[in-house]
Amino acid sequence: MIQTIHPVLLCGGSGTRLWPLSRKSHPKQFARLTGEESLFQASARRLGGDGFAAPVIVTGGDFRFIVLEQLAAIETAPAAVLIEPAARNTAPAILAAALDIEARDPGALMLVAPSDHVLPDAARFRAAVQAAAPTAAEGRIVTFGIRPDRAETGYGWMELDGPVTDWAPLPRPLIRFVEKPGTAAAEAMLADGRYLWNAGIFLFTTTTLIAAFEAHAPDILAGVRAALQGARQDLAFTRLDAAAWEPLPDISIDYAVMETARNLSVVPYGGAWSDLGGWEAVWREGSPDATGVVCHGGATAIGCTDSLLRAETGTMQLVGIGLTNIVAIAMPDAVLVADRSRAQDVKLAVAQLRARGIAQAETFPQDFRPWGWFESLATGPRFQVKRIVVKPGGALSLQSHFHRAEHWIVVEGTARITIGDEVRLVSENQSVYIPLGTQHRLENPGKLPMVLIEVQTGSYLGEDDIIRYEDVYARGQGAKG
């Protein structure tokens, strides 16, 4: 009998290496970098279907509604969404998922994967996972090693007991993990044939993993158990207990368990894979044309070679002329232009912007909320203009503001608007005025997204100027929207 595999998708991250498209408020797994779906959606699809249970998602509180919305768009219901009170790297996150699954299905097989990787051949990867399942069921920790095609210094490597020749997905003994190497070491490992890239994808039973923490990291096990025991339900989410979680160390699963465990196996994977760890990887995955150019969106290349040009909004046009070895990424609020050989240094730019207090360092132009999203179109000393998109059935909280009044103009769909004691429907090309201090609510009762333009006027226009009276999403007083 084939044992069902429980996928676990790790869905955190700070999003600095693919800035400006990826930012702290909206990291790369939620972006459409290689197709019509986000990396997170593609990952959930890849780890679904026959032989797979509903996924467990481990994420941060800021991303919880994006996770549910993107899963709903691909008609996937999660088994659980675990909310980390603070980022603590992969070891506590994976262990929390293991304990959650163990409580529902003792001794279950679980497959842990990042949610921001690209594996184009989903069927081949699922076949490799199924081939590894018997070994994992016997108590081995199985990791998946990627066939290297270059002397990559940005990845960890793994040494096997001998060269890989036929790339059949058969588990092999793991000799050791190798930290990110220098160029000479990477070239030697590439030529050797016994070394694979470490993709950070693992398959094991819940029993095996919990036993590994008992042996190698008992303090982490105790803390994560306490965080689950003290967890509380918040709508569709499980919020881990902050008092137990926050003292946990910031440590990867490799350091906490894998590098000291002795029951490790590797399944060689010969299919295509990328962690999209920077714009160089995006250029590579974009299938450069004969001149080495990749264009995306409203981008035009004239006389360019070996370059990546991306315009990230439908109305924006980016034109490159005579460029060589350049990355150019254009967004409404930020533009990146870099030599491809320096693309990894984008994190330095983010650090400098953050130090100067520049909002674009971390904040995405679209601010995603459980009811939809908004973006700022224009700002001044005492006014701000926003576009607000409310998904079908979405409702903003019943709220008021101390410092601003608002004008709403519906441009698509129909809105149900509450102003004081009055509730009315407002259709396209109609507008309403909400005086300062008045309780109000905006809802979309229709079947299509509703779009309105909001003009705020007042002495203070910050998102924290809000008193919330009712909220269908159970957000606290300090939450936005």
Side-chain angles (χ1 to χ4, degrees), residues 388-469:
I388 298 176
V389 179
V390 184
K391 64 187 179 183
L396 281 69
S397 59
L398 181 65
Q399 59 187 256
S400 66
H401 310 293
F402 284 114
H403 302 287
R404 71 174 184 259
E406 295 173 342
H407 301 256
W408 290 348
I409 305 100
V410 177
V411 295
E412 290 183 32
T414 298
R416 181 189 293 123
I417 295 177
T418 300
I419 304 177
D421 296 328
E422 180 186 4
V423 180
R424 56 175 159 148
L425 294 177
V426 179
S427 301
E428 291 181 10
N429 300 320
Q430 295 181 329
S431 63
V432 297
Y433 172 67
I434 300 98
L436 182 150
T438 303
Q439 289 189 25
H440 58 280
R441 190 202 307 267
L442 173 64
E443 303 170 76
N444 179 3
K447 302 293 185 183
L448 297 172
M450 184 270 295
V451 183
L452 62 78
I453 301 300
E454 176 183 82
V455 180
Q456 302 176 349
T457 57
S459 59
Y460 178 72
L461 306 174
E463 290 299 319
D464 56 350
D465 176 21
I466 183 171
I467 302 174
R468 180 172 285 109
Y469 304 96

Side-chain angles (χ1 to χ4, degrees), residues 329-341:
I329 314 297
M331 296 192 68
D333 66 335
V335 176
L336 170 70
V337 181
D339 190 281
R340 263 183 50 217
S341 66

Side-chain angles (χ1 to χ4, degrees), residues 66-410:
I66 303 176
V67 162
L68 286 190
E69 184 172 343
Q70 292 206 352
L71 287 177
I74 59 172
E75 300 181 340
T76 297
V81 180
L82 305 182
I83 305 299
E84 298 178 277
R88 289 295 179 264
N89 215 314
T90 56
I94 292 171
L95 180 57
L99 293 170
D100 175 78
I101 295 168
E102 171 72 8
R104 292 182 280 108
D105 187 4
L109 278 172
M110 58 182 285
L111 175 70
V112 178
S115 61
D116 56 1
H117 290 186
V118 175
L119 284 139
D121 193 341
R124 181 172 181 175
F125 179 72
R126 284 194 293 265
V129 172
Q130 295 293 352
T135 298
E138 294 171 357
R140 305 286 293 180
I141 295 174
V142 181
T143 186
F144 294 81
I146 305 300
R147 170 162 45 185
D149 59 11
R150 61 189 183 277
E152 177 62 57
T153 59
Y155 301 150
W157 294 60
M158 298 182 291
E159 181 183 356
L160 275 62
D161 60 340
V164 180
T165 54
D166 60 2
W167 292 98
L170 300 176
R172 302 270 299 271
L174 172 63
I175 304 302
R176 65 184 177 109
F177 289 95
V178 180
E179 293 296 320
K180 295 177 181 179
T183 301
E187 290 173 348
M189 288 188 291
L190 179 65
D192 185 284
R194 291 179 296 129
Y195 295 85
L196 307 179
W197 290 338
N198 181 5
I201 303 172
F202 302 98
L203 180 69
F204 36 65
T205 67
T206 54
T207 306
T208 299
L209 185 72
I210 294 168
F213 274 89
E214 286 176 341
H216 306 293
D219 291 347
I220 297 177
L221 177 58
V224 174
R225 272 189 170 141
L228 268 171
Q229 288 167 357
R232 62 180 178 87
Q233 289 301 122
D234 175 8
L235 300 177
F237 314 106
T238 300
R239 288 187 175 274
L240 300 170
D241 181 65
W245 186 266
E246 290 178 355
L248 290 168
D250 186 331
I251 187 170
S252 71
I253 191 75
D254 289 18
Y255 282 120
V257 169
M258 300 302 171
E259 293 191 354
T260 50
R262 293 292 175 261
N263 56 334
L264 298 173
S265 297
V266 180
V267 169
Y269 182 72
W273 169 89
S274 174
D275 73 341
L276 289 188
W279 288 115
E280 173 72 12
V282 175
W283 170 81
R284 192 180 299 112
E285 287 297 313
S287 300
D289 64 16
T291 63
V293 171
V294 175
C295 287
H296 173 84
T300 301
I302 301 173
C304 298
T305 56
D306 301 327
S307 295
L308 171 65
L309 307 179
R310 289 180 66 107
E312 296 296 342
T313 61
T315 58
M316 180 175 290
Q317 294 296 315
L318 170 65
V319 179
I321 302 175
L323 302 178
T324 299
N325 215 50
I326 290 296
V327 169
I329 314 297
M331 296 192 68
D333 66 335
V335 176
L336 170 70
V337 181
D339 190 281
R340 263 183 50 217
S341 66
R342 299 285 304 279
Q344 287 290 343
D345 289 343
V346 67
K347 60 187 177 184
L348 303 179
V350 174
Q352 287 196 22
L353 293 174
R354 186 186 299 121
R356 291 164 51 200
I358 304 298
Q360 287 92 327
E362 297 185 341
T363 304
F364 204 67
Q366 293 179 344
D367 198 326
F368 291 88
R369 301 297 169 85
W371 43 260
W373 58 271
F374 70 83
E375 62 181 338
S376 180
L377 303 178
T379 58
R382 293 182 61 88
F383 78 90
Q384 180 171 209
V385 181
K386 291 181 178 179
R387 172 166 51 182
I388 298 176
V389 179
V390 184
K391 64 187 179 183
L396 281 69
S397 59
L398 181 65
Q399 59 187 256
S400 66
H401 310 293
F402 284 114
H403 302 287
R404 71 174 184 259
E406 295 173 342
H407 301 256
W408 290 348
I409 305 100
V410 177

Side-chain angles (χ1 to χ4, degrees), residues 5-9 47-48 52-57 101 109-112:
I5 296 171
H6 294 254
V8 174
L9 285 173
L47 304 185
F52 291 88
V56 172
I57 314 298
I101 295 168
L109 278 172
M110 58 182 285
L111 175 70
V112 178

